[in-house]
Amino acid sequence: MLEIFITHRLLLFVEASRATMIIIRTFLFFLVIMATTKIALMEEQTYIIHMDKTKITDSDHQQYYQAVIDSITKLSSQEEEEENKTPTPQLLYIYETAISGFAAKLSTNQLKSLNQVDGFLFATPDELLSLHTTHTPQFLGLQNGKGLWSASNSASDVIVGLVDTGIWPEHVSFQDSGMSQVPSRWKGTCEEGTRFSFSNCNKKLIGARAFVQGYEAIVGRVNETVDYRSPRDSNGHGTHTASTAAGNFVNQASLFGLAKGSASGMKYTARIAAYKACWTLGCANSDVMAAIESAVADGVDILSLSLGGVSKPYYKDNIAIASFGAIQHGVSVSCSAGNSGPSRSSVSNAAPWIMTVAASYSDRSFPTAVKLGDGQIFEGSSLYSGKKTKQLPLVYNRTAGSQGAEYCFEGSLVKKLVKGKIVVCEGGIYSRTGVGEKVKKAGGAGMLLLNSEDEGEELLADAHILPATSLGASAAKAIRKYVGSAKKPSALIVFQGTVYGNTAPVMAALSSRGPNSAGPDVIKPDVTAPGVDILAAWPPNISPSMLESDNRSVLFNIISGTSMSCPHVSGLASLLKSVHRDWSPAAIKSALMTTAYTLNNKGAPIADIGSTSTSKSATPFAFGSGHVDPENAADPGLVYDITAEDYLFYLCSLSYNSSQIALFSSGVNFTCPKNAVLQPGDLNYPSFSVLFSKDARNMSVTYKRTVKNVGKIPSTYAVQVKEPTGVSVTVEPRSLGFKKMGEKLSYKVSFVALGGPTLTNSSFGTLTWVSGKYRVGSPIAVTWL
């Protein structure tokens, strides 16, 4: 009994102790929650604050927004204990041209206090966005002295603004020899900073600014040992994109003798304005907004942004909001579609007023041949310019080192196992040139870099620091099998230099795809342009591999991505602007879209490296309307024009509320009509996106379009339709007769779902208006939801 009693008392003691501990833990947890909540309320974060322009009562916006800051400081301080006062909000930027509002560091309480400020619309936390040509002008059909490159068009002053990593002003691509004086309408400036002075600008590079306050509010002060706190480019990306859009003609340009020829931008006589908003770790949204704001106020004609984030509703997308302000001022905006392909619905920068650009291959490549010891030969790609290797032993995974050796991790390769041999490495962990650096450091004599199944057959060329090549997924599979089964596996790599005449264009797997998740009633991307293995200007102090261990200096580099295709289209837009000064951004965009082509240089449908279908044919969700054709775009016959008000009605059709609409209306008292029937598909867009429910049978939708004659008079256009699978298409009227220039005529298109969805839940067709030499084409994409 005593034993039982003692045991019982012990159990009671233990249970009581447990209960006490639970109470103590609960109390401590409550204190932690209280402290965390208090810290959260005090913690500052940068926000982009959108204000209703019609409610701003002071013409001095600096004074007005300072009054707003003072007001929310006072309101929030009433809710905080004296010892826990948060710092006064830090005003970073004021926006008053492209958008209306400001950027500031605020506490949670201060943010809440904004709800009591008349005119406050929306606040979005600042975020870091990511950065998404010797031969391409010829591939695009541009010829010196002819058409868009004729002397009369070349003389026209067009200003291209690029929001990027800055620029290397001394580069030969940005010299101003023979250029006329800077246009008097230009209001921009050349900001001074680290290794950048006013004298770095000239009659070619007419403006340069740096925007860093948002970035430093998130990351901390820029480390000036790795970046310049000025418009000077420390990355190479901005220099490359600027020269692609509008760089000078430069003879004998190449990378180690590869891609040798005359390099030039698409509009090589255009002026350039560089807006640095991207730094070592990315691009702060608030800085990008400030850059767009300044560019529009400065007087640019074209804006090019090779950057972006994830897709989101337009009222939450600051680039979409600022770009809308830009087009209201007559500025065309081109953005990269993103490098998240071939995943479905990965496209970004998808607002309908933005020209969203996908990336494709041109007919130029830098092939290699990899010959295995058993005689198998595979094609790869590389920018290594040295001689071929000897037939060398091949090592992979455990035969190359310890755990992780298949990825060539730092320290995983064993020197005695890889020295003098070709190492097989899986990609996806380090940069592609970075993997080669690990191999070279371990004593390897060469590298085969294998694609994963997800990367597919994409072959991107890189300036490796040792004999190396990338290989597609099918070759990778065969090489893994060979290394695992052969007693003495070996290989040699042959570098074949520059090869022209390949089947092209071909869609790059990396290029982000539709459908457009933010607005599925608009096909995105809009067009594709060369974006793989593009040669353009490069800062001489940055190695072509972007590795610190690489001390090679070059004036031109070859890189890939939608970041490279975007400035091609920005440059082409500036060419069209020089020919048609009175065209709106929507008209320029329409011309590039309706004249785009969908057949390659062999007369077959454009292929898609990222496609999993048996046909491998690209669809409008990969290339939009097709590949740009600038000479035809200069004389498109008809254009689909869209006004700012048209876009606002489109936003109404998306059921945006008045506050969300006010983000775009820019001080105009606009309200959505109450009784009108609005549908997103009626936006006067040069393409058709049709949505049906999966159980739709005989369901129909009808869209209206209006075209404007910019071609010959008189002229009559007849419609040609290629119907999507499972859908009938009826056009009324079937012909359009124009008697004068600028005349507008409308037509309606009815789509009827005949059956259920296809295996991919999508099908595609075309609608084309034809008159003589003119073919005004629009893709049709039908999606079953």
Side-chain angles (χ1 to χ4, degrees), residues 687-742:
S687 61
F688 297 90
S689 178
V690 184
L691 309 177
F692 288 126
S693 61
K694 288 187 177 181
D695 57 353
R697 297 292 187 279
N698 297 317
M699 177 182 175
S700 68
V701 294
T702 300
Y703 295 155
K704 180 184 176 182
R705 291 290 187 274
T706 300
V707 287
K708 178 181 178 180
N709 181 35
V710 294
K712 294 181 178 180
I713 51 170
S715 58
T716 300
Y717 287 79
V719 71
Q720 295 178 357
V721 176
K722 180 182 177 183
E723 295 181 330
T725 301
V727 176
S728 72
V729 181
T730 305
V731 182
E732 289 293 338
R734 295 192 61 81
S735 67
L736 299 171
F738 295 91
K739 296 178 181 178
K740 56 184 179 180
M741 290 292 289

Side-chain angles (χ1 to χ4, degrees), residues 164-187:
D164 215 295
T165 64
I167 198 164
W168 194 266
E170 297 86 358
H171 198 283
V172 64
S173 292
F174 311 126
Q175 291 181 0
D176 66 353
S177 177
M179 295 196 74
S180 60
Q181 291 300 312
V182 175
S184 58
R185 63 189 173 88
W186 176 245
K187 300 180 180 66

Side-chain angles (χ1 to χ4, degrees), residues 479-492:
I479 289 168
R480 292 187 198 99
K481 183 177 180 181
Y482 166 71
V483 175
S485 60
K487 289 184 178 180
K488 293 184 177 181
S490 66
L492 69 81

Side-chain angles (χ1 to χ4, degrees), residues 341-354:
S343 299
R344 186 178 171 90
S345 294
S346 54
V347 65
S348 62
N349 297 321
W353 45 89
I354 293 173

